Amino acid sequence: MGHAGLGLTAVVWLASAMVQLWRLRAGGRVVRWLRLALAAAMGAVALVTLVAQALLTNPLVPVLWRKEFVSGPLILDTLAAAYLPVALVFALAAWKLDHLPRLLRQVFVVAGAGYGAWYLGLEIRRLWQGDDLSVPGVSDGELYSYTVALILVSVLLLMLALLRRSETLRRVAMAGVALTVAKVFLVDMAGLAGLVRVASFLGLGLSLAGLAWLNRRIAEHMGRGAV
């Protein structure tokens, strides 16, 4: 069973566990504990499956002599089947299971965002490297694609922060901007020189200025709304 099969198997167990957590809203104490036990058992099976996926069928790391190849058209491929449904289940759980403790819902948020980011990163690598993601090295185009993706995700988070009036989302977005800046200065521009380096700095500066302006406007708008 490859990365897609293990991912879809984990989704079945995860969804079953989330259903039990959803049904905690109703029922007596005995039924509540039974549902908690079922959710814990199903969640444990899902966790074991996801660990096996990460260790045994990781497209980036061959296990012994076996490589894990990606198949299918770009975007709608085995990577999407392996990781996007998992991210979606965690995201829906964090959104809908509002009766659960806040810390647990935050764990779901982090897990969903992590799997979503992992899928996006692998999809970008496949765009530049083909079906074998375990090949050594990273091309310049791949590096710059990661940077563009980070900027776009940061902008999306800022817009969501505005719509939901969420200070947490705004801070996460700015953390993404800080990560982008660090990546550009430490990785992307390390091998550049001359006019290409100047043009890259100019493009980055304009992008960051735009993001800073957008962040300031969103912060001001949220502040007025809180008054």
Coordinates of all heavy atoms in Angstrom, one line a residue, residues 21 42 109 117 134 157 167 177:
L21 N -16.6 12.1 18.4 CA -16.4 13.3 19.2 C -17.6 14.3 18.9 O -18.0 15.0 19.8 CB -15.1 14.0 18.8 CG -13.8 13.3 19.2 CD1 -12.6 14.0 18.6 CD2 -13.7 13.1 20.7
M42 N -9.9 4.8 17.6 CA -9.9 5.1 16.2 C -8.8 6.1 15.9 O -8.1 6.0 14.8 CB -11.3 5.6 15.7 CG -12.4 4.6 15.8 SD -14.0 5.3 15.5 CE -15.1 3.8 15.7
V109 N -6.0 22.3 14.2 CA -5.7 23.4 13.3 C -4.2 23.2 12.8 O -3.9 23.3 11.6 CB -5.8 24.8 13.9 CG1 -5.2 25.8 13.0 CG2 -7.3 25.1 14.1
A117 N 0.2 22.2 4.0 CA 1.5 22.8 3.6 C 2.4 21.7 3.0 O 3.1 21.9 2.0 CB 2.2 23.4 4.8
S134 N 12.4 12.0 -4.8 CA 13.6 11.7 -4.0 C 14.9 12.0 -4.6 O 16.0 11.8 -4.1 CB 13.6 10.2 -3.6 OG 13.7 9.4 -4.7
L157 N -4.0 34.4 4.3 CA -4.3 34.4 5.7 C -4.7 35.8 6.2 O -5.5 35.9 7.1 CB -3.1 33.9 6.4 CG -2.8 32.4 6.3 CD1 -1.5 32.0 7.0 CD2 -3.9 31.6 7.0
E167 N -7.2 38.1 15.2 CA -5.9 38.5 15.5 C -4.9 37.4 15.4 O -3.7 37.6 14.9 CB -5.8 39.1 16.9 CG -4.4 39.7 17.3 CD -4.0 40.9 16.4 OE1 -4.9 41.5 15.8 OE2 -2.8 41.2 16.4
V177 N 5.2 35.8 6.6 CA 6.0 36.8 5.9 C 7.4 36.8 6.4 O 8.4 36.9 5.6 CB 5.3 38.2 6.1 CG1 6.3 39.3 5.6 CG2 4.0 38.3 5.4

